[in-house]
Amino acid sequence: MHVIERLELLLKEAQQAIQSAGNARALEEVRVKYLGKSGLVTEVLKGLSQIAPETRPQVGKASNDVKNRITELLELKQEGFESKGGSELPLGWDPTLPGRRQPMGKMHPLTRVQQEICGIFKSFGFDQVEGSDVETDYYNFQALNVPPDHPARDAQDTFYLQKGLLLRTHMSPIQVRVMEKLKPPFKFVAPGKVYRHEAIDATHHHIFHQVEGVLVDKGIHFGHLKGILDNWVKKFFGSKVETRFRPSFFPFTEPSAEVDISCVFCQGKGCRICKQSGWVEMMGCGMIHPVVFENCRIDPNEWTGFAFGMGVERLTMFKYDIDDIRLFYQNDLRFLKQF
Ligand code: DAH
């Protein structure tokens, strides 16, 4: 009767194992352990030929009963999993099938480039600040030395809101907002959206992005401005790229300059992108005008500084040879996936 006792013990063990199986995978392991090809119950059945012929039918029946009982219990438990919907690994599920790849979202190219621009300035020790898209005429124009009838307003067609508010036409109002609050020395960059009432074409959009920068300290002169911006250009575009500072005009800086960089596509030889000139205009800059300092109650005899402003779309278009600004705003995945 030794074999029959062993079978009873196996049934008990199997019962317990089935009961405590928490999911279909565990249940399958129990089935393999007892009823699989070399399972414990299967082995007993295989060994029948070695048993004395008189007891063989009895043992045979007992082991079949145990096998059937275990099968029944397994099925019951499996049904329980399925009706609860809690099966971690339902029968018929093939864990060796390759998984389905989920598409991953990415940062918009403008966000990436904006972070890259500011990241380089932060590595130079600049802070990053933010302003509001809605501004007053005072901060957007007057405090920046642009009086109401100044012709410089023509170049920045403004979206006016109610109650004397407007959408900022550039990031420069942040200069006044920060300088009113902080005592020099300081240096910061400010990225953000700006708005202009312009017709949209391949190079113009009524919403675009700028990064504004300011550095104020004692004894700051144009050489510092050139040094910082030349270093920034070399980090952003590559160490072989050269800068050229051309005299320009902005009401809020004196002197003012436009920064050109040598064309990265033809190394300054002249091509379609730089319109055969070898140079591409990249940003505006200058020494902060004494009137702007005075408007912020900073003494221009004690402190000097420089400011600059650059267009994120323009930089991105140049860096990646994109010829239409509208691509940034069409949400076409064929375009966005390339970055
Ligand atoms: N605000 C100017 C624009 O939108 C860009 C600019 C030029 C900013 C010179 C500056 C600067 O801070 O010094 O065209």
Side-chain angles (χ1 to χ4, degrees):
M1 279 312 103
H2 184 66
V3 185
I4 288 184
E5 271 165 28
R6 168 144 176 79
L7 280 168
E8 276 167 5
L9 197 72
L10 285 177
L11 177 59
K12 248 192 212 141
E13 264 179 39
Q15 247 169 342
Q16 262 169 17
I18 290 167
Q19 217 165 37
S20 53
N23 55 37
R25 192 199 295 264
L27 203 58
E28 173 66 5
E29 276 165 17
V30 177
R31 190 190 66 75
V32 172
K33 182 174 173 192
Y34 293 93
L35 307 181
K37 259 195 197 135
S38 37
L40 297 169
V41 177
T42 317
E43 291 297 324
V44 176
L45 277 162
K46 275 192 208 160
L48 270 184
S49 55
Q50 267 118 62
I51 288 169
E54 319 75 275
T55 50
R56 215 176 282 169
Q58 210 186 339
V59 175
K61 185 179 179 302
S63 43
N64 265 325
D65 285 349
V66 167
K67 187 183 154 192
N68 291 340
R69 179 72 189 135
I70 294 177
T71 307
E72 221 176 84
L73 291 169
L74 284 166
E75 278 169 6
L76 263 171
K77 181 81 174 188
Q78 179 64 29
E79 271 168 34
F81 282 147
E82 276 161 10
S83 67
K84 265 193 240 152
S87 162
E88 215 178 77
L89 190 67
L91 291 182
W93 189 89
D94 182 354
T96 63
L97 279 177
R100 251 175 253 145
R101 200 172 280 282
Q102 294 297 326
M104 273 264 270
K106 285 196 200 173
M107 251 192 272
H108 192 278
L110 291 176
T111 312
R112 282 234 333 243
V113 172
Q114 186 172 290
Q115 289 185 0
E116 200 184 329
I117 294 171
C118 295
I120 298 171
F121 283 113
K122 285 196 231 172
S123 78
F124 295 163
F126 283 62
D127 292 322
Q128 185 170 324
V129 298
E130 263 167 49
S132 156
D133 294 30
V134 174
E135 269 298 357
T136 62
D137 191 275
Y138 177 77
Y139 286 101
N140 197 77
F141 292 120
Q142 290 170 50
L144 289 163
N145 199 26
V146 187
D149 55 353
H150 196 284
R153 291 191 179 214
D154 290 350
Q156 303 198 350
D157 287 324
T158 311
F159 282 113
Y160 287 98
L161 309 170
Q162 288 168 327
K163 296 183 189 147
L165 296 173
L166 50 79
L167 293 174
R168 63 184 174 199
T169 59
H170 55 170
M171 283 304 294
S172 299
I174 198 84
Q175 291 188 22
V176 185
R177 296 247 174 222
V178 173
M179 291 202 290
E180 273 181 345
K181 285 207 191 86
L182 297 187
K183 280 206 174 358
F186 47 70
K187 47 187 183 295
F188 60 86
V189 283
K193 265 196 203 89
V194 301
Y195 305 80
R196 291 187 195 174
H197 192 260
E198 296 200 42
I200 295 175
D201 63 24
T203 52
H204 298 87
H205 210 280
H206 51 244
I207 301 177
F208 58 102
H209 298 76
Q210 287 186 335
V211 173
E212 182 86 8
V214 169
L215 182 150
V216 177
D217 206 331
K218 287 196 169 141
I220 296 298
H221 54 72
F222 206 87
H224 295 116
L225 167 57
K226 286 179 79 172
I228 291 276
L229 291 184
D230 185 67
N231 258 291
W232 179 86
V233 163
K234 287 181 164 51
K235 287 233 152 62
F236 187 78
F237 285 110
S239 55
K240 293 208 176 68
V241 177
E242 294 190 46
T243 50
R244 175 172 87 172
F245 289 72
R246 245 183 322 110
S248 184
F249 173 79
F250 299 102
F252 32 91
T253 44
E254 183 57 38
S256 305
E258 209 80 62
V259 185
D260 295 344
I261 68 164
S262 56
C263 180
V264 295
F265 292 99
C266 62
Q267 282 76 44
K269 288 188 202 77
C271 68
R272 156 186 77 83
I273 290 169
C274 60
K275 300 197 183 88
Q276 309 307 327
S277 75
W279 295 93
V280 184
E281 188 184 312
M282 272 302 135
M283 61 183 116
C285 64
M287 302 306 293
I288 297 172
H289 200 290
V291 167
V292 178
F293 274 135
E294 276 160 11
N295 287 339
C296 305
R297 283 177 203 80
I298 291 175
D299 182 358
N301 296 314
E302 191 180 353
W303 304 97
T304 52
F306 60 78
F308 51 87
M310 57 184 91
V312 179
E313 278 79 354
R314 196 181 162 72
L315 283 162
T316 311
M317 287 168 81
F318 185 59
K319 188 157 180 159
Y320 295 109
D321 190 14
I322 297 163
D323 58 10
D324 196 324
I325 195 171
R326 290 168 288 199
L327 287 164
F328 292 121
Y329 299 100
Q330 285 162 344
N331 287 335
D332 186 335
L333 288 179
R334 288 170 304 179
F335 171 72
L336 296 174
K337 274 183 178 167
Q338 296 177 51
F339 297 92

